[in-house]
Amino acid sequence: MMEELVNMHAEFIQVHGRSRDGQLPSWLNVSTLDTLPAILRDSIVGRSLAGRSNWHLLYNKADIRDCMAMVHRLHYGEEANIDGCLKIKPSSSGLGIGASNWTISGARRSVAYIAGSLVTANSVKAFDLPALEGSQILLFGDIELADESSTSVEEKVTSVSPVGPPTLSSERGGNRGSGEVSGALRPDTTASDVRPQVAAVCKAAVETVRRGGSVLIPSSPFPILLELLDEMAVQLASVNLTDIPMKYISPAAEEMLAYGNTVPEWLCPSRQEKLYAGEPLFGYVDLVREEHLCGFKALHSADLQMVWQEPCIIFASHWSLRMGPAVHLLHRWRHNPLCLLILIEQSLDVELILAPFKPLAIQVLELPVQSRLSPKEVISVIQKVQPQLTLVPEFLLHKKLEATESNHLLSYRKGCTVRVPHFENQLEVQMSAELALQVQPKPVKPSKVAAALLHADLWSRDGIWSLQPASMAKSSGDLLPGLQSFQYRWGQVNVTALLTALKDRGLFDIHVQETASEEVGNEHFTTGDLKLEVETAVVEIRSPSQAWIEIRPNSSHIKADDPSLRHLIAAAVHSVLNSL
């Protein structure tokens, strides 16, 4: 995808030229932006010109090579160990070839990050739910805004001609994909592996070419393209239209068409069985051999001009309709009411994308291919994994997850930090035998426990914490002399006792702020018996100079510019704590 973008950008510069090195293009000048229509200006830089600084020079092919050289590739289920502290493991998200969810495991907890996922059956490996089980935290990153059944296909058709839009009948595979979430999480491997939206796109294209019109599908080298090519070949054959030419025009066309037969481990079992039977993994490979499907690097290719005929079905870059061969083809067919433009990308502003090409007579069909979990599927995943905490986008918690039985929910929004509460109060640490022999516990009154001062190194390796003899110590005799006079302070600070201790040390101008309640997370977090509020108090000392003491259950923070005053306050705090 990056190489394709670089090649198309180079063609764009060849035609239109480039700005001087180190200078912003003229259309990014504030004076020029003010003259643009509001919809165009907002798409370039956002409101109040806030996005003006986001524009940068595009990378080149050398940058891509350097970038990919730093990528460490993993197979599904393969663990990567990060400095002995974290283990990172990918699992199939069911969305496309190599598309992954990620489990990040540390010493105390594991976090599962769920990216764009698909739980209905398709050509790639199914959504791997068991790989997420046991995770304490689920983080959902990409979720459908609307809750739509997977058995229905939303069609948004824009027509400005007397010719009616394509009808999406369900002669083949109209009911593919279960609408039941529980069934979708463990898809039936015997069912067809074609997504309903993919079948609908191909059905619309076939009906258009039967009427004598050509079809343009702006796309990029995403794995979904292989599914579209495969299903298109099947549906053309079903109506005896295999002589209709299909073309894929992109700088990455040849590589993408060859790519499909090199990735068997990422595909569903039915596709893998074809490999062992000596058959192509995708059916479009036969069309390539018979030259009914051809790939071309550019629209002006001499080879393409020699074999061009209409009606035809064209897959062309770029889906944004701002560069690449798709722009020229849309200009060619935009006044032909028999032709069809199919937009398959999600979250497109169709009005904005088509604005430069109006007026339009071509049929426009918006059929975004599902690439995200629905709110119902999110609830099902939460109920099956049973995490201690789930983080979801803010819009979902407000509108969609009110009925979920899980009450450990946090919402997040872009640019805001979310404070995640601790669910464990203890950390399991292994102590080496050598260190254990050096420990001399003493009883702690009034409790019935024993404690000892300890000087050791804390190690973390492969997610396991351990205490080892301090590296600077050479013998047990060297371990404690420096600690003999040290007193370990513990307990909670009593504000009343602290005020008395401060007055005993000559500090009288003291003001105590009211106890505040600080939320952990945000206002939407409910955890049953889990305590959400942390009691805090702030003691302000106004003379001889200003200082503050922030008191929390597990810590105290002293802020003072005068070092002598800071030491005096620290002594007062120490006097109201227990010592060991």
Side-chain angles (χ1 to χ4, degrees):
M1 286 189 290
M2 290 189 289
E3 289 175 347
E4 179 191 66
L5 188 61
V6 168
N7 285 325
M8 287 189 296
H9 187 251
E11 293 179 4
F12 189 90
I13 288 176
Q14 186 176 2
V15 175
H16 300 283
R18 67 161 73 220
S19 57
R20 294 181 181 178
D21 292 341
Q23 293 185 2
L24 289 174
S26 58
W27 49 267
L28 272 179
N29 294 331
V30 176
S31 57
T32 305
L33 288 170
D34 288 339
T35 65
L36 298 178
I39 186 173
L40 182 58
R41 182 176 64 250
D42 291 348
S43 69
I44 295 174
V45 294
R47 295 183 178 179
S48 304
L49 307 183
R52 190 165 172 264
S53 61
N54 292 338
W55 288 89
H56 298 273
L57 292 175
L58 186 65
Y59 44 78
N60 55 39
K61 290 186 177 180
D63 296 329
I64 296 174
R65 288 194 295 269
D66 294 341
C67 170
M68 297 307 296
M70 294 185 288
V71 174
H72 180 73
R73 305 183 185 190
L74 298 176
H75 299 281
Y76 287 148
E78 180 183 356
E79 280 190 348
N81 193 308
I82 310 299
D83 296 332
C85 297
L86 295 175
K87 294 180 181 178
I88 301 179
K89 181 172 66 174
S91 60
S92 175
S93 70
L95 179 60
I97 296 173
S100 303
N101 296 322
W102 297 85
T103 303
I104 307 172
S105 304
R108 303 186 64 181
R109 63 175 66 180
S110 63
V111 178
Y113 169 62
I114 302 178
S117 301
L118 191 65
V119 298
T120 52
N122 62 89
S123 62
V124 299
K125 277 195 172 181
F127 182 87
D128 190 355
L129 182 65
L132 308 177
E133 294 176 353
S135 300
Q136 285 80 31
I137 298 176
L138 283 186
L139 172 58
F140 288 91
D142 203 2
I143 301 172
E144 285 281 3
L145 286 171
D147 190 6
E148 298 173 2
S149 172
S150 59
T151 57
S152 64
V153 178
E154 181 183 4
E155 303 120 37
K156 300 177 182 177
V157 182
T158 303
S159 177
V160 292
S161 75
V163 180
T167 57
L168 303 183
S169 59
S170 56
E171 296 174 10
R172 183 179 184 276
N175 292 322
R176 279 176 287 201
S178 171
E180 294 295 327
V181 179
S182 59
L185 290 174
R186 302 186 184 276
D188 181 6
T189 55
T190 63
S192 173
D193 58 10
V194 181
R195 311 183 202 189
Q197 295 92 343
V198 170
V201 168
C202 298
K203 188 66 179 178
V206 169
E207 293 187 359
T208 298
V209 295
R210 289 177 71 178
R211 293 198 308 269
S214 294
V215 179
L216 173 61
I217 305 178
S219 58
S220 281
F222 301 137
I224 185 64
L225 179 64
L226 301 181
E227 295 182 47
L228 286 168
L229 293 173
D230 200 45
E231 177 67 3
M232 195 74 75
V234 172
Q235 294 207 21
L236 286 173
S238 69
V239 293
N240 198 26
L241 287 176
T242 54
D243 58 334
I244 294 293
M246 285 198 296
K247 305 287 189 293
Y248 177 30
I249 309 174
S250 164
E254 294 179 2
E255 292 85 348
M256 195 64 188
L257 291 178
Y259 177 72
N261 260 1
T262 64
V263 288
E265 65 174 300
W266 309 98
L267 302 180
C268 64
S270 62
R271 300 271 177 177
Q272 293 179 352
E273 289 171 4
K274 292 183 177 182
L275 175 69
Y276 302 121
E279 301 175 8
L281 297 177
F282 289 90
Y284 71 81
V285 176
D286 292 331
L287 292 182
V288 175
R289 289 200 197 103
E290 298 166 3
E291 297 186 349
H292 291 305
L293 170 61
C294 302
F296 299 93
K297 288 185 176 295
L299 188 61
H300 54 74
S301 166
D303 293 336
L304 176 59
Q305 303 303 321
M306 292 177 59
V307 298
W308 183 268
Q309 72 177 68
E310 298 181 22
C312 57
I313 299 174
I314 305 295
F315 297 85
S317 299
H318 185 266
W319 60 265
S320 66
L321 291 179
R322 290 297 180 268
M323 57 184 165
V327 174
H328 305 291
L329 289 169
L330 183 54
H331 276 296
R332 176 185 179 90
W333 291 329
R334 67 192 179 111
H335 295 308
N336 188 342
L338 293 178
C339 294
L340 173 66
L341 170 68
I342 304 179
L343 303 175
I344 61 173
E345 293 298 317
Q346 288 195 326
S347 305
L348 289 181
D349 187 339
V350 178
E351 196 68 26
L352 178 63
I353 282 182
L354 298 180
F357 305 96
K358 290 184 176 180
L360 291 173
I362 188 175
Q363 298 294 315
V364 180
L365 180 61
E366 186 185 5
L367 274 172
V369 178
Q370 181 186 2
S371 62
R372 299 169 181 152
L373 294 176
S374 69
K376 286 184 179 179
E377 291 165 343
V378 170
I379 294 174
S380 182
V381 171
I382 294 173
Q383 291 172 344
K384 290 178 179 294
V385 177
Q386 290 294 314
Q388 292 177 319
L389 177 68
T390 302
L391 292 101
V392 297
E394 190 175 41
F395 77 87
L396 192 68
L397 192 63
H398 282 311
K399 300 178 180 179
K400 303 294 182 182
L401 294 188
E402 297 172 356
T404 180
E405 295 178 1
S406 175
N407 56 1
H408 295 181
L409 292 173
L410 268 177
S411 68
Y412 66 85
R413 62 179 180 269
K414 187 176 179 178
C416 296
T417 301
V418 178
R419 296 185 58 188
V420 177
H422 291 285
F423 291 94
E424 300 176 8
N425 296 322
Q426 297 180 346
L427 174 64
E428 184 176 333
V429 181
Q430 298 179 359
M431 181 183 291
S432 68
E434 182 183 356
L435 181 62
L437 293 174
Q438 301 172 5
V439 175
Q440 300 176 4
K442 297 179 181 179
V444 178
K445 296 180 180 180
S447 59
K448 297 180 181 180
V449 297
L453 296 177
L454 188 66
H455 187 197
D457 288 343
L458 180 63
W459 288 72
S460 177
R461 178 171 294 173
D462 295 335
I464 299 175
W465 293 93
S466 64
L467 287 173
Q468 303 291 340
S471 56
M472 65 189 75
K474 298 181 180 180
S475 66
S476 59
D478 298 327
L479 196 62
L480 293 176
L483 298 176
Q484 293 293 342
S485 59
F486 176 79
Q487 288 188 319
Y488 181 76
R489 305 289 177 175
W490 60 279
Q492 292 187 347
V493 176
N494 182 285
V495 177
T496 303
L498 177 60
L499 295 178
T500 302
L502 292 172
K503 291 177 180 178
D504 291 342
R505 288 164 173 77
L507 302 174
F508 296 99
D509 193 358
I510 303 172
H511 177 73
V512 181
Q513 293 185 11
E514 293 181 1
T515 301
S517 297
E518 181 179 333
E519 264 195 356
V520 177
N522 61 32
E523 61 184 355
H524 307 300
F525 185 67
T526 57
T527 59
D529 296 332
L530 184 67
K531 186 176 182 180
L532 288 179
E533 295 184 348
V534 177
E535 298 296 327
T536 63
V538 177
V539 178
E540 180 184 0
I541 299 172
R542 297 176 177 175
S543 66
S545 62
Q546 205 164 30
W548 294 268
I549 311 170
E550 185 179 356
I551 302 171
R552 297 189 176 206
N554 298 315
S555 65
S556 298
H557 190 188
I558 301 172
K559 303 176 186 178
D561 293 333
D562 184 353
S564 59
L565 178 59
R566 188 165 58 249
H567 290 305
L568 186 65
I569 296 172
V573 173
H574 286 167
S575 68
V576 300
L577 293 172
N578 301 313
S579 63
L580 177 65

